Amino acid sequence: AQKVTQAQTEISVVEKEDVTLDCVYETRDTTYYLFWYKQPPSGELVFLIRRNSFDEQNEISGRYSWNFQKSTSSFNFTITASQVVDSAVYFCALSEVNTGNQFYFGTGTSLTVIP
Amino acid sequence: KAGVTQTPRYLIKTRGQQVTLSCSPISGHRSVSWYQQTPGQGLQFLFEYFSETQRNKGNFPGRFSGRQFSNSRSEMNVSTLELGDSALYLCASSGRQGSASEQFFGPGTRLTVL
């Protein structure tokens, strides 16, 4: 079974629109960590955020914000006022205490921001 | 601080050959993980090394192996290459062992098997 599901395969938005990328995870561990990474066309995965399972506070960093809800096992990512430079593939990932640094990645959401 | 470096960046091999990929982690990082990225399977965990010991292994055949040296540099080897091994191989380093650590990824090695 897929531990991390990103149901949106591709999203296109017009510049300055807001966009939310969905992430649903599955784990039996009570302690786990969730991550978001950005993969631009160059291929390198860029770390965006880490959240542990005990911290459900939403986080905002500039135009980026994250909404973590344990009740629905979701960790959604919103980009406000999107820009062309936001075009990339975004991955949500889960790591569990018992498997150390092994990340379970979702299949990614390809975001295209149209100027 | 220099990031994670991977060499070579591109590689073309034929079926049956073997290949070795190299990864140099961020200075001071002792954990190195390897991932395979393909359009069909996405990002899949291969293995993790910490202080020269393999700590965790994904669900890949024994043709995929790795090692880590005392300076934390890591190599990944694939023997008897198959067409399906064509992929982007990503290396990630982390400053600590354990699930809390963010991992920093290199640019990857794109392997094409003909």
Side-chain angles (χ1 to χ4, degrees):
Chain A
Q2 194 74 8
K3 283 184 176 282
V4 178
T5 301
Q6 294 180 255
Q8 304 151 308
T9 306
E10 295 180 3
I11 300 177
S12 291
V13 298
V14 176
E15 200 171 21
K16 296 184 183 176
E17 285 185 345
D18 298 347
V19 59
T20 295
L21 310 182
D22 298 333
C23 173
V24 174
Y25 62 92
E26 179 184 330
T27 180
R28 293 182 180 178
D29 284 10
T30 54
T31 304
Y32 53 88
Y33 297 83
L34 296 164
F35 302 79
W36 275 95
Y37 281 84
K38 173 182 180 180
Q39 187 177 40
S42 61
E44 188 168 336
L45 284 164
V46 177
F47 167 79
L48 295 177
I49 190 172
R50 175 190 64 202
R51 173 66 75 227
N52 75 58
S53 53
F54 299 107
D55 182 3
E56 287 194 70
Q57 245 186 339
N58 291 334
E59 182 157 340
I60 298 174
S61 177
R63 297 184 296 107
Y64 295 171
S65 63
W66 291 269
N67 181 275
F68 175 31
Q69 293 195 349
K70 287 178 74 171
S71 60
T72 56
S73 297
S74 65
F75 186 43
N76 296 338
F77 172 32
T78 297
I79 302 175
T80 303
S82 60
Q83 299 176 1
V84 172
V85 292
D86 295 328
S87 296
V89 180
Y90 290 86
F91 291 94
C92 179
L94 164 74
S95 71
E96 299 169 318
V97 168
N98 293 332
T99 52
N101 277 336
Q102 176 176 353
F103 277 13
Y104 299 97
F105 281 93
T107 50
T109 297
S110 178
L111 173 66
T112 301
V113 180
I114 303 165
Chain B
K1 215 178 206 184
V4 178
T5 57
Q6 292 186 246
T7 57
R9 292 293 310 278
Y10 302 91
L11 207 47
I12 298 175
K13 292 286 188 179
T14 55
R15 276 183 300 174
Q17 287 187 311
Q18 77 164 19
V19 68
T20 299
L21 311 182
S22 181
C23 171
S24 292
I26 291 172
S27 177
H29 284 192
R30 294 162 63 190
S31 169
V32 173
S33 299
W34 289 89
Y35 290 83
Q36 181 196 64
Q37 186 176 22
T38 60
Q41 299 298 317
L43 278 153
Q44 293 188 291
F45 173 77
L46 281 155
F47 28 65
E48 180 203 357
Y49 286 87
F50 184 85
S51 294
E52 301 179 66
T53 302
Q54 187 180 89
R55 292 294 184 176
N56 206 354
K57 191 178 192 306
N59 189 26
F60 278 82
R63 300 185 297 107
F64 292 82
S65 63
R67 59 178 175 168
Q68 186 179 34
F69 302 95
S70 57
N71 62 357
S72 294
R73 189 178 70 84
S74 176
E75 286 183 348
M76 190 192 99
N77 185 274
V78 188
S79 62
T80 319
L81 284 166
E82 300 177 0
L83 294 179
D85 297 333
S86 294
L88 180 66
Y89 290 88
L90 292 163
C91 165
S93 79
S94 175
R96 346 169 233 175
Q97 188 187 13
S99 56
S101 311
E102 62 263 38
Q103 296 188 52
F104 298 89
F105 285 80
T109 293
R110 186 164 295 282
L111 171 65
T112 301
V113 182
L114 303 175

